[in-house]
Amino acid sequence: MPTATFSLETPLEELGVDSMKAITILYELENRFDIEIPNEVFDSIRNVGDIVQQLQRLTAKSDTVHLD
């Protein structure tokens, strides 16, 4: 999907992301950034902006962020 067709506020469902895909994405982000995403955060993710906001919050608390 071209990036021009959605924004940070576009619901994940409109991007073809169901709840199982969202969980998979969040688990992959946990592994990638070496963070733990609390279960209550999973329930609050509705769009890409929510994911970005939570990653910013959680990585700011982390001593290290692994980008490789």
Side-chain angles (χ1 to χ4, degrees), residues 6-42:
F6 68 92
S7 71
L8 293 176
E9 292 79 29
T10 303
L12 292 175
E13 295 83 24
E14 287 184 25
L15 300 174
V17 178
D18 61 20
S19 60
M20 290 305 295
K21 287 180 185 175
I23 289 171
T24 300
I25 291 168
L26 294 174
Y27 282 137
E28 289 295 324
L29 291 170
E30 283 184 320
N31 290 329
R32 173 83 168 156
F33 292 103
D34 193 26
I35 58 173
E36 183 177 335
I37 300 173
N39 288 337
E40 60 271 8
V41 170
F42 282 80

